[in-house]
Amino acid sequence: MGKLVVLTLLGAVLALIGERLVAFRQRTNASRAVEPVDLPNCHLIEGLENGSEDIDILPNGLAFISSGLKYPGMPNFASDEPGQIFLMDLNEQNPRVQALNISDGFDKASFNPHGISTFIDKDHTVYLYVVNHPHMKSTVEKFKFEEQQRSLVHLKTIKHELLTSVNDIVVLGPEQFYATRDHYFTNFFLVLLEMIMDLRWTYVLFYSPKEVKVVAKGFSSANGITVSLDKKCFASRMFCLRSPK
């Protein structure tokens, strides 16, 4: 009788895992055939051989690009090189990228940039906020953009217990932003289990110097995020919610 119970439980577990694997493949379109598409107006931007994770474009056409992300389970094209922030002028006929110098005092060797977002102050100063994963942790780095010098001045590192496994960020004001957590677990094998089992344990949080709180939760993997022009509604993937007051 005991063996029968064990075999029954084992069969149920294997059936659940099999069903979850099939559902996971369907969610990720793993079996979809990708057809080639001819895009005559597209051309390769050289200098981003280590990949480009995120882009944020200023009203004047200057674009910031984060590159060189090292993430568990993802291909790594330059394991010995730190990540970089590139600048590209979209007003040029043939845009090229330029790596931005980062001020001394910042740990550039462990720079591992992910999502980025800009904020323009009343005096037209441009601030760049970068999700960083030094040593596979999560922080948000605040930089000031020096346009003439084509450089970034590091101002502050933001840490909080809720800023874990951060994916993307969208800035609303001085040190005020929304951020997404893409995985509940940090261990690679537990992350795989989380994805296969479709555990909806990730969230979107709001950060400010006065308060940090979860504003939306119940997602299988909260990823990219943006905000409406009036800053009253934020959106990540397929949801849109009113900003908290």
Side-chain angles (χ1 to χ4, degrees):
M1 182 67 180
K3 291 183 179 179
L4 180 60
V5 172
V6 171
L7 289 175
T8 301
L9 291 175
L10 179 61
V13 170
L14 291 176
L16 175 62
I17 294 176
E19 186 275 332
R20 291 290 86 193
L21 282 172
V22 171
F24 177 69
R25 287 179 60 85
Q26 291 176 342
R27 291 199 312 274
T28 58
N29 291 318
S31 302
R32 183 181 63 179
V34 179
E35 300 293 336
V37 178
D38 182 24
L39 300 173
N41 295 324
C42 291
H43 66 277
L44 176 67
I45 302 295
E46 297 182 354
L48 295 172
E49 288 76 14
N50 295 339
S52 52
E53 170 59 30
D54 201 5
I55 183 171
D56 201 58
I57 304 173
L58 296 177
N60 63 4
L62 293 179
F64 296 96
I65 301 171
S66 60
S67 177
L69 174 65
K70 299 172 183 63
Y71 213 63
M74 290 180 58
N76 193 335
F77 301 102
S79 59
D80 298 329
E81 298 180 15
Q84 292 180 295
I85 300 296
F86 288 90
L87 186 71
M88 183 167 61
D89 189 349
L90 299 180
N91 299 300
E92 297 178 354
Q93 185 174 358
N94 296 303
R96 297 169 295 174
V97 295
Q98 175 186 358
L100 294 176
N101 293 320
I102 299 178
S103 61
D104 294 335
F106 176 71
D107 185 6
K108 288 174 271 191
S110 65
F111 191 38
N112 193 14
H114 202 160
I116 61 176
S117 182
T118 55
F119 171 71
I120 303 176
D121 213 338
K122 294 179 180 179
D123 61 358
H124 306 294
T125 301
V126 176
Y127 296 95
L128 178 69
Y129 289 73
V130 181
V131 175
N132 187 23
H133 300 293
H135 312 294
M136 298 305 164
K137 304 296 183 181
S138 288
T139 63
V140 174
E141 310 294 346
K142 179 182 178 182
F143 297 94
K144 181 173 72 171
F145 174 52
E146 298 286 355
E147 185 172 353
Q148 297 299 322
Q149 291 79 18
R150 290 294 199 262
S151 65
L152 295 172
V153 177
H154 184 251
L155 301 177
K156 186 176 183 179
T157 296
I158 299 173
K159 299 179 181 180
H160 192 274
E161 60 182 8
L162 290 178
L163 289 171
T164 303
S165 192
V166 182
N167 184 296
D168 200 10
I169 183 175
V170 59
V171 180
L172 305 179
E175 296 183 24
Q176 298 181 19
F177 55 80
Y178 293 114
T180 58
R181 178 173 183 169
D182 57 6
H183 296 297
Y184 180 81
F185 296 108
T186 55
N187 178 274
F188 176 66
F189 295 102
L190 291 179
V191 168
L192 286 179
L193 179 64
E194 176 186 345
M195 295 171 63
I196 292 172
M197 298 304 293
D198 193 24
L199 302 178
R200 299 176 179 269
W201 293 353
T202 65
Y203 52 72
V204 177
L205 66 87
F206 172 75
Y207 178 94
S208 74
K210 295 183 179 181
E211 67 172 339
V212 183
K213 61 182 179 180
V214 174
V215 294
K217 58 184 178 179
F219 309 107
S220 58
S221 181
N223 204 293
I225 189 168
T226 189
V227 69
S228 59
L229 293 177
D230 60 7
K231 300 187 184 300
K232 293 183 178 180
C233 177
F234 68 92
S236 178
R237 286 198 172 186
M238 298 302 292
F239 73 89
C240 181
L241 295 175
R242 302 301 295 181
S243 299
K245 296 181 179 179

